[in-house]
Each structure stands twice: as C-alpha cells, then as structure tokens.
C-alpha cells in the first residue's frame, strides 16, 4: 500500500516523485508536534488545576502559538517542493491490528491539511490572545484555556489524520470540546441544555461517519485515505453513493447543515471567543473538510455529489432568512455562519473546481467571521454583556476600533470588491451558474439571492449596532452603561483579522494561486476552470454587486435612516417563523423527539406488561402451587391418615370403574 521512507511514507497510488519529497524529511517529520503541543497544554492546565490559575492562560496562548510556528515551518517545506511532491505521510505507530482490519496512526501533510493547520492555529492563537482579556474576571479562566487547547488539538488531529478512523478520533474530540465550551457556564440551566443539544445532534451525524467506515471496510478492506480514495475510481457507483451520502450525514451534523442545523444558534450560550473558534476556524468547517477530502468518492458518485449541492443550497437560504429576523447579535452571526457554510457545501457539490472554491471561501470566512464574532464580544464587553441590537445604536463614536474592524468584516462578508469575500463568494456564485440543464439556473439563482439576503441582514446588524439613535440611553439602568473601547489584548487580534478580511482574498486569488495550490488534492482543474457559466461572467459579477448593494440599501432605509422601535413589531408570517428558526425545533420535536418518546414508552410498557408479565405469571403460579402444597404439609397425623384414606378410596373407585367398563 505504501513505500516506506524512514518515518515518512508516501501512498503507492501517488507518483514516485512524491517519495523524493518525503525522503527529505525536514519540518514535516515533526508534524506530530502540531497536535502534541496544544494537547500537552490542555493536559497540564487540567492536571495542575488551581495551581495554574495565575499563569495558565499564557500557557494556553503559547501552546497554540507554538503549533502555528511549527505549521509555518512545515508550509515552507511544502512550498519548496514541486506540486506533485506535496503529499507526505508521517507514520506514527500501529494502532488497530485487528485481523483483516489493520489501521496505522499517521498524519497526512498536504496542501489541504496545511491550509487548515494554518487557519486553525493562526486564527485560534488570535482568539486565545483575545480571551486573555475577555475572560480576565472569570475565576475559571485557566480551565477555559485548557478547553481551548483541547479544541485546537482535536481539530488539528482531524485535518491531519491519514485515515477516516483517526479522523473520527479528532471528530469526536472537537465534539467533546465544543460540549465543554458551549456549556462552560453550566450553572445556567439554559446553557447546559444548549451544550447537551449540540452534543446529541452531533452524535446523530456521527452515526453516518461510522456507517460510512463500515461500508468502506466491506468494499475496500481498509479505511485509510490512500486505499479508499485510490480505489474509489474502480468501485461500483452504488457503493460510492452510499458512502458519499453517509459522509454527507456526518458533515451536516458537524457543520450545522440542513437538516441537522438546529444546534448552532443555541451554541451561542458559550463565551463569545468560543463562538469565534467554533463558527470561524474549527468545528463547523470540519464537514466541508470531510467532503473535500473525500473528493474522489463524490466525483465517482454524481448522485451523492448532487445531494451535497442541494443540502448547501437549502442551508444557505435557511440561515440567511433566519439571520434577517434575529435581534440577538450573536445569533445573527450564528445564522450567518450556517448560511456561509451552505455556500461552501454548495461549491463542494459542484465538482473538482468547486472543492478549491469551497476551501477558498472557508479560509476568507475564517478571518472575517472570527473578526465579526470578536467584534461582537467587544460590544458586549462595553455594554454589560447585552446582545439585543435593538438596545444599541450610535456606538461608532465610542468604539472606533471595533467599528472599523467590524466594518471591514461586514464589507468582506457582503462581497464588496476588493475585500476577501468578494473573491471567494463571487467565485462560488459564478461556478454555480456552470453546467447543463436545470442545475446552473437553480443553484446559481439561489446563490445570487442568498448574497442579497446576506447583505440585508449583515447591514441590518451593523447599522443597528453602530449607527442611528443611541437607543441604549433609553433602557432601564442606562446610567450603568458606559460604552468604551476594549483593551489592546482584544483590539489587536481584531485588527489582524480585519486586515485579513480586507486583503487576504486578493492575495489568494492572484493568478488562481490558491486553486493551483490545492491541485495535489483536488486534481488538475484547468479544464473545469475554463468551462463558462450559462450567463457571462461580467453579467454575473455585476448582478451580484447590484443585488448586494440593494440588500444593504434596504437595510439602511429600514434600520439606519429610520427610527428603530425598541420592541420588535409583530411582522409578517415569514418574519415570525424566522424568529423561531423556521420552526426547526418544532419539526425535530414533532418528527423525531415525540415519536421517539412514544416508541420508548411503548417498548417499556411491552417489556413490563408482556415480557415481565409472563415471567412474573410463571413465578406467581409456582408460588400459588407451593402455597397449596404447603397447607397439606401441616404436621398432623390425622391429616396424613385422612389423605391416605382418600387416596385408597380413589384408587378403589378407579379400579372398580375400570372393571365395570370391561
């Protein structure tokens, strides 16, 4: 299956030239430190406990930053190799030697995994620094940083694993860490319930990943990438479709896509840096990674690939509609994340060229969405942890750094040129219009409409927070509110993320550099890249900008120039439905939870009434018979003599009766 080169191995399915790159060793041989450093940081902080309270947060920052430094060193090595040599496998140890199933623990270092490594460690380190100040007065700050380190370590294991089995370990690790972080303030019952909801819904998706691995083993006898992806081209379409749909189920749970998206809004219960980490650079992007990593499977299973695109299209509209009606600042951003991940899933369902654009948008989204969440945390820091945007207004004059940094993130997510979102989201919209038949018109129109709705709800948020009347002065206890800028430990990470929101997209798009960077994973996409959309590219670009500007203008008219009512009006039927998340919880309760409860109660009743009833009936019969016999054994001689006499008489009767009949 592979050619061994010291501790580094290269899958046999890859060109022999890759072996030369692997033999060089270098920084890639120490890629295991990427996972080990934050994992050790988490372990130290948890084991030492309160003894590390005074300095534990800085250890957490150092562990994440050290992983980033290692990631940069590995990236430099990859950039020094020809494109065809940029896939290196690092063997760690024999993990599961179980008869026909033999799984080694190893890491795959390639352009896709390293893109995620730099995003997770880079943005993650900025969030760690921000958290030092944000969580300054929390008595459990050290434990919070332990969980952050655990989250980063699990996500890095997920993206660096060289098999689906090891990926599953990281997959469950981020699920555990998200549960701990979302429910960090678990003394609040609602927060604890939100953490449980996220945990349970993710477990539903995890069943898909487990079943997918079972099908892989049945079809290929292995679950490592080299074997499964290398043999995908020669496998039956039915098997690949089954694997693809099961992997999609896993992705919908982890990335909060339809129909397993209901947990994401409630996940805002955790501290705001958690929201930035989960919704920007780590957990919710894992589903997109899984689909793109499994590209050879989806390329050979068009029905499963179409399902990915349909799920993404539904979710991007779903999240955008929900975000347009929310007044909770963090829940608006959560709905936005759901919608933007939908764009990525749509792109991943459009074929090989879509894989690159999905990851492109994932990276730019990591910067501008993390910046928006940290900006929201800055506003909360200044406004006594309040999140209702109807109670803000006019904060731009008090929080200029937050206003500017969130403004750049706002322009980026809108897709205004030349900000990063323009380059990544516009590429997805243009690709959605490529194809034959109904698909380009349906997917392209949905992507275009979604861009307009995104512009509306994000502009609504921005204007209601930073512009218009100072509505916070009209609130009860308004004298206690003193809007002010956040400390440097919070604003500096926001500035760095804002810089990425402004210029990163242009740097990545220059000369199709990012598309070519991912070609060792996605394959040569030059032919697909040249395929023209059903509408001219200038037409699509102009239409997108016009739709975005119209959405932003409508938001300005309604929430920037006009007076914003302190209490939300009743609104239309769609608005009321969007405020309740389009009844996703009601649907889950009616379709899954209640029937599940009734089924469980029925099974319990059947068990107690039938199974237990039958067993207890036999026991009662034996006990009753024993009671009758016990009464006969009373110890009196006259009773025994009477019984003997009755027996003799009965025997005589039987004998005489038999003779009479004869």
């Amino acid at each position: 299956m592979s050619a061994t080169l010291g501790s580094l191995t290269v899958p046999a399915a890859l060109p022999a030239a890759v072996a030369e790159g692997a033999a060089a060793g270098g920084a890639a041989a120490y890629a295991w430190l990427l996972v080990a450093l934050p994992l050790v940081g988490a372990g130290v902080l948890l084991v030492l406990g309160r003894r590390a309270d005074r300095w534990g947060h800085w250890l957490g920052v150092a562990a994440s930053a050290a992983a980033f430094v290692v990631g940069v060193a590995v990236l430099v090595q990859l950039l020094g190799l020809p494109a065809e040599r940029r896939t290196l496998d690092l063997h760690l140890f024999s993990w599961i030697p179980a008869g026909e199933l033999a799984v080694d623990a190893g890491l795959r270092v390639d352009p896709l995994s390293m893109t995620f490594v730099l995003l997770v460690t880079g943005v993650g380190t900025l969030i760690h620094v921000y958290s030092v100040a944000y969580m300054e007065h929390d008595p459990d700050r050290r434990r919070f940083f332990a969980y952050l380190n655990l989250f980063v370590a699990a996500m890095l294991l997920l993206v660096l694993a060289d098999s689906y089995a090891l990926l599953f370990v990281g997959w469950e690790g981020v699920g555990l860490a998200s549960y701990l972080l979302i429910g960090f303030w678990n003394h609040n019952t609602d927060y604890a319930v939100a953490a449980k909801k996220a945990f349970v819904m993710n477990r539903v998706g995890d069943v898909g990943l487990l079943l997918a691995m079972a099908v892989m083993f049945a079809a290929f006898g292995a679950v490592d990438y080299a074997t499964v992806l290398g043999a995908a081209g020669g496998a039956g379409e039915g098997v690949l479709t089954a694997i693809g749909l099961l992997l999609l189920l896993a992705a919908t749970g982890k990335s909060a896509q339809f129909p397993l998206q209901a947990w994401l809004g409630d996940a805002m219960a955790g501290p705001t840096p958690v929201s930035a980490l989960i919704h920007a650079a780590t957990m919710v992007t894992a589903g997109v990674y899984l689909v793109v990593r499994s590209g050879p499977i989806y390329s050979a299973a068009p029905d499963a690939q179409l399902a990915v695109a349909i799920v993404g299209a539904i979710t991007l509209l779903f999240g955008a509609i929900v975000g347009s009606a929310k007044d909770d600042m963090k829940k608006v951003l959560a709905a936005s994340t759901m919608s933007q991940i939908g764009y990525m899933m749509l792109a991943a369902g459009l074929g090989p060229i879509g894989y690159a654009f999905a990851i492109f948008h994932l990276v730019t989204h990591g910067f501008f969405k993390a910046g928006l969440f940290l900006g929201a945390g800055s506003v909360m820091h200044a406004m006594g942890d309040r999140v209702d945007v109807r109670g803000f207004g006019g904060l731009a004059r008090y929080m200029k750094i937050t206003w500017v940094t969130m403004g750049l993130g706002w322009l980026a997510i809108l897709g205004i040129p030349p900000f990063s979102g323009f380059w990544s989201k516009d590429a997805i919209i243009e690709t959605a219009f490529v194809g034959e038949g109904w698909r380009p018109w349906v997917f392209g129109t949905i992507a275009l409409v979604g861009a307009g709705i995104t512009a509306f709800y994000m502009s609504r948020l921005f204007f209601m927070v930073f512009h218009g009347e100072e509505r916070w002065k009209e609130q009860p206890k308004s004298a206690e509110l003193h809007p002010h800028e956040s400390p440097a430990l919070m604003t500096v990470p926001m500035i760095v993320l804002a810089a990425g929101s402004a210029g990163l997209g242009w740097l990545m798009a220059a000369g199709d550099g990012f598309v070519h960077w991912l070609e060792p994973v996605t394959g040569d996409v030059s032919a697909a890249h040249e395929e023209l959309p059903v509408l001219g590219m200038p037409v699509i670009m102009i239409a997108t900008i016009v739709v975005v500007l119209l959405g932003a203008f409508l938001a300005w008219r309604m929430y920037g120039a006009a007076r914003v009512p302190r209490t939300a009006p009743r609104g239309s039927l769609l608005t009321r439905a969007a405020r309740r998340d389009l009844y996703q919880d009601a649907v889950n309760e009616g379709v899954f939870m209640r029937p599940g409860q009734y089924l469980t109660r029925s099974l319990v009743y059947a068990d107690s009434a039938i199974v237990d009833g039958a067993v207890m009936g036999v026991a009662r019969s034996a006990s009753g018979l024993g009671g009758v016999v016990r009464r006969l054994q009373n110890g009196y001689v006259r009773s025994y003599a009477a019984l003997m006499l009755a027996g003799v008489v009965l025997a005589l009767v039987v004998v005489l009766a038999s003779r009479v009949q004869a």
Side-chain angles (χ1 to χ4, degrees):
M1 291 173 52
S2 60
T4 303
L5 298 163
S7 60
L8 286 168
T9 62
V10 181
L14 296 173
V18 184
E20 300 174 12
Y30 300 96
W32 58 273
L33 287 173
L34 292 167
V35 180
L37 288 169
L39 187 60
V40 169
V44 169
L45 293 178
L46 291 173
V47 170
L48 291 183
R50 292 295 182 187
R51 288 170 290 180
D53 278 354
R54 298 177 61 183
W55 48 266
H57 48 285
W58 290 117
L59 175 61
V61 173
S64 182
F68 176 71
V69 172
V70 174
V72 171
V74 176
L75 175 68
V76 170
Q77 178 184 352
L78 282 191
L79 290 174
L81 299 173
E84 67 274 9
R85 301 180 184 177
R86 290 176 179 166
T87 299
L88 312 175
D89 280 353
L90 176 64
H91 175 77
L92 298 178
F93 54 87
S94 178
W95 180 29
I96 306 177
E100 296 182 5
L101 176 62
V103 180
D104 292 338
L107 306 180
R108 170 158 290 195
V109 177
D110 63 11
L112 178 60
S113 62
M114 289 311 301
T115 298
F116 272 85
V117 164
L118 293 178
L119 178 65
V120 172
T121 58
V123 174
T125 299
L126 293 174
I127 294 172
H128 276 69
V129 173
Y130 178 97
S131 300
V132 172
Y134 189 87
M135 300 293 290
E136 181 178 6
H137 302 294
D138 194 297
D140 291 318
R141 179 170 63 170
R142 179 262 322 155
R143 180 165 57 89
F144 180 78
F145 274 83
Y147 294 163
L148 287 184
N149 272 193
L150 178 62
F151 205 132
V152 170
M155 189 65 191
L156 291 173
L157 178 61
L158 189 157
V159 300
L160 283 167
D162 67 348
S163 69
Y164 288 97
L166 191 58
L167 174 145
F168 186 73
V169 177
W171 193 268
E172 293 303 293
V174 295
L176 170 63
S178 69
Y179 170 77
L180 296 172
L181 287 168
I182 294 170
F184 183 75
W185 291 321
N186 52 46
H187 54 271
N188 185 315
T189 302
D190 291 339
Y191 294 176
V193 170
K196 182 176 68 174
K197 181 178 180 180
F199 189 81
V200 171
M201 293 200 73
N202 272 271
R203 300 293 75 72
V204 175
D206 294 349
V207 172
L209 185 51
L210 287 170
L211 292 176
M213 286 191 287
V215 178
M216 290 175 193
F217 178 66
F220 308 114
V223 292
D224 61 281
Y225 296 152
T227 302
V228 174
L229 302 182
E237 185 175 325
V239 171
L240 295 177
T241 299
I243 295 174
L245 292 177
L246 290 169
L247 291 176
L248 176 60
L249 175 61
T252 58
K254 197 65 70 180
S255 292
Q257 297 293 283
F258 179 85
L260 296 178
Q261 78 286 359
W263 64 270
L264 195 64
D266 293 328
M268 297 299 98
T272 302
V274 173
S275 303
L277 192 64
I278 292 177
H279 296 81
T282 54
M283 181 170 166
V284 294
T285 63
V288 181
Y289 171 82
L290 180 65
V291 172
V292 174
R293 174 61 77 187
S294 306
I297 294 174
Y298 286 101
S299 296
D303 291 340
Q305 191 169 67
L306 176 60
V308 173
I310 291 174
V311 167
I314 293 173
T315 310
L316 78 86
L317 282 181
F318 191 105
I321 293 171
V322 169
S324 298
K326 293 291 186 180
D327 292 329
D328 184 317
M329 176 172 53
K330 292 176 66 177
K331 290 194 175 183
V332 173
L333 295 176
S336 170
T337 296
M338 185 192 306
S339 180
Q340 296 305 305
I341 299 290
Y343 270 103
M344 301 171 205
M345 295 294 283
L346 172 61
L350 297 176
I353 187 64
Y355 300 149
F357 292 149
I359 302 302
F360 185 11
H361 192 52
L362 188 151
V363 174
T364 61
H365 175 267
F367 276 81
F368 60 68
K369 183 54 64 64
L372 288 168
F373 267 115
L374 296 188
S378 179
V379 172
M380 292 173 61
H381 179 267
M383 298 296 289
D385 288 332
R386 304 187 184 194
V387 294
D388 186 356
V389 293
R390 292 185 178 275
F392 294 155
L395 293 181
R397 70 194 65 174
Y398 302 98
M399 308 177 68
K400 294 190 181 300
I401 296 178
T402 302
W403 173 60
V404 171
T405 54
M406 284 195 73
L408 291 174
W410 164 61
L411 293 173
I413 194 172
L414 261 61
I416 300 296
F419 300 98
S420 60
F422 166 76
W423 301 99
S424 58
K425 190 160 64 175
D426 194 71
I428 295 176
I429 296 174
E430 291 174 1
T431 306
F433 276 104
V434 173
E436 298 178 353
W438 60 269
R439 297 184 187 183
W441 297 104
V442 172
F443 291 144
T445 302
I446 290 175
L448 188 60
V449 171
I453 303 177
T454 299
F456 172 77
Y457 72 76
M458 287 305 304
S459 299
R460 172 181 180 269
L461 171 67
F462 189 73
F463 295 144
M464 291 179 75
V465 172
F466 293 107
H467 297 277
E469 298 177 340
E470 298 177 352
R471 297 180 300 279
W472 50 273
K473 292 183 177 180
E474 305 169 3
Q475 297 184 63
K477 299 182 179 180
S478 60
E480 299 177 4
L481 297 177
H482 303 284
H484 58 281
E485 191 55 85
S486 299
L489 282 175
M490 294 173 65
T491 56
V492 170
M494 291 161 56
I495 292 171
V496 175
L497 292 170
S501 302
L504 183 64
W506 178 81
L507 291 174
M508 295 173 66
D512 292 330
F514 189 73
V515 173
H516 294 309
W517 160 250
L518 287 180
E519 281 186 342
V521 179
T522 61
D524 186 2
V525 296
S526 56
H529 196 44
E530 294 173 358
E531 191 174 355
L532 297 177
V534 293
L535 296 175
M537 293 182 66
V539 174
I540 297 174
M541 184 179 298
I542 293 173
T544 302
I545 294 176
V546 169
V547 168
V548 166
L549 292 177
L550 285 175
F553 177 73
L554 179 61
W556 168 253
R557 286 291 303 273
M558 295 177 63
Y559 302 101
R563 179 179 177 83
V564 177
R566 182 66 184 86
T567 302
R570 179 175 173 80
S572 65
L573 179 62
L574 179 60
T575 300
R576 296 196 300 273
R579 287 174 184 156
R580 297 184 62 182
D581 300 319
L582 296 180
Y583 303 110
Q584 54 185 336
D585 285 331
V587 171
N588 289 335
E589 181 176 338
V591 176
F592 299 106
M593 191 189 82
R594 294 302 178 191
Q597 287 181 332
Y598 296 146
L599 176 61
T600 302
R601 290 169 184 169
S602 299
L603 293 174
V604 170
Y605 175 79
D607 180 67
S608 59
I610 299 175
V611 178
D612 288 352
V615 173
M616 294 303 295
V618 172
R620 292 190 185 99
S621 299
S623 177
L625 179 61
V628 173
V629 175
R630 185 173 64 249
R631 292 190 185 95
L632 298 177
Q633 302 295 322
N634 54 23
Y636 294 110
V637 174
R638 61 179 178 273
S639 297
Y640 299 152
L643 287 174
M644 293 172 63
L645 177 61
V648 171
V649 171
L650 180 61
L652 290 173
V653 170
V654 171
V655 171
L656 292 174
S658 61
R659 287 187 176 183
V660 170
Q661 291 179 356

